[in-house]
Amino acid sequence: MGKILEVKNLTVHIKTHKGVVQAVRGVDFYLNEQETLAVVGESGSGKSITMKGVMGILPKNGKVVEGSVMFQGNDLTKYSERQMQQVRGSKIAMIFQDPMTSLNPTYTIGHQLMEAITLHTNRSRRQAWDRAVEMLRLVNVNEPEKRMKQYPYEFSGGMRQRVMIAMALACEPDILIADE
């Protein structure tokens, strides 16, 4: 088993109205294939910002200023947004802390799951529907066919979290990042 991900000297700065915050300084870690890695620390220690830096989804005022994120021999910090879109979801997926801010309230759960599947795989809409229903069933969402037609506000917090897990797993990524 070799390294699937290697983060070296990752440094992330966040610009604020009071100046630049060094949110992450010199983080190093690696992940081998078939391994689980837990990043632990106090609230505010930079765990989420580190993972968002890995995924290339920092807030607009955030920037990786130093270091590398090596995935399959390529430094993701050098990738364009278009290149990162090819990695996110299909190769590296993330389950976010707050599913309500990650799910669009104006689209059904089914639409959002199917969009993720069709965007990152070559499945047809029918195949994406079937895969989405299968994934909802796997994460113990009852009546998945019915739930596909519902909106996020119709789900409890725990059910929305299960939808996010289903979405992250649907495309069978090489790496799954669970933010809490």
Side-chain angles (χ1 to χ4, degrees):
M1 285 190 289
K3 290 180 186 170
I4 190 168
L5 181 72
E6 185 170 17
V7 175
K8 289 184 179 178
N9 197 36
L10 187 68
T11 302
V12 177
H13 288 178
I14 308 287
K15 287 185 182 177
T16 71
H17 65 283
K18 292 185 176 183
V20 175
V21 173
Q22 296 178 18
V24 175
R25 287 171 266 171
V27 170
D28 296 310
F29 65 86
Y30 65 91
L31 176 68
N32 288 320
E33 294 174 7
Q34 308 280 315
E35 255 186 5
T36 300
L37 171 68
V39 178
V40 295
E42 293 181 23
S43 181
S45 64
K47 301 177 302 292
S48 295
I49 290 293
T50 297
M51 294 309 149
K52 286 180 179 183
V54 167
M55 294 284 293
I57 55 170
L58 289 166
K60 290 181 182 180
N61 60 335
K63 183 178 181 181
V64 172
V65 295
E66 196 173 330
S68 62
V69 176
M70 300 302 292
F71 174 71
Q72 296 180 336
N74 299 299
D75 186 354
L76 298 182
T77 66
K78 307 290 187 228
Y79 272 30
S80 67
E81 176 57 25
R82 185 179 180 118
Q83 289 172 304
M84 282 305 297
Q85 287 175 358
Q86 300 300 311
V87 173
R88 284 189 220 112
S90 59
K91 301 290 183 190
I92 304 174
M94 187 167 179
I95 304 166
F96 295 94
Q97 282 184 41
D98 183 6
M100 200 55 188
T101 59
S102 302
L103 293 169
N104 187 324
T106 63
Y107 291 107
T108 64
I109 294 298
H111 175 90
Q112 293 178 70
L113 280 166
M114 289 174 60
E115 180 181 47
I117 294 166
T118 57
L119 184 64
H120 298 295
T121 70
N122 59 1
R123 294 177 195 231
S124 68
R125 287 193 49 74
R126 180 67 207 168
Q127 291 169 324
W129 171 274
D130 292 342
R131 178 68 173 163
V133 169
E134 174 191 12
M135 294 309 299
L136 288 177
R137 192 170 283 117
L138 283 172
V139 297
N140 293 320
V141 171
N142 61 350
E143 301 180 88
E145 292 87 357
K146 175 184 169 188
R147 299 293 189 166
M148 290 280 288
K149 299 172 186 171
Q150 293 181 316
Y151 292 86
Y153 72 86
E154 297 177 271
F155 284 60
S156 69
M159 293 290 273
R160 287 191 296 263
Q161 193 67 54
R162 289 182 201 177
V163 169
M164 293 304 302
I165 293 167
M167 192 178 296
L169 293 173
C171 299
E172 301 176 28
D174 299 323
I175 297 173
L176 177 64
I177 299 170
D179 192 13
E180 286 189 36

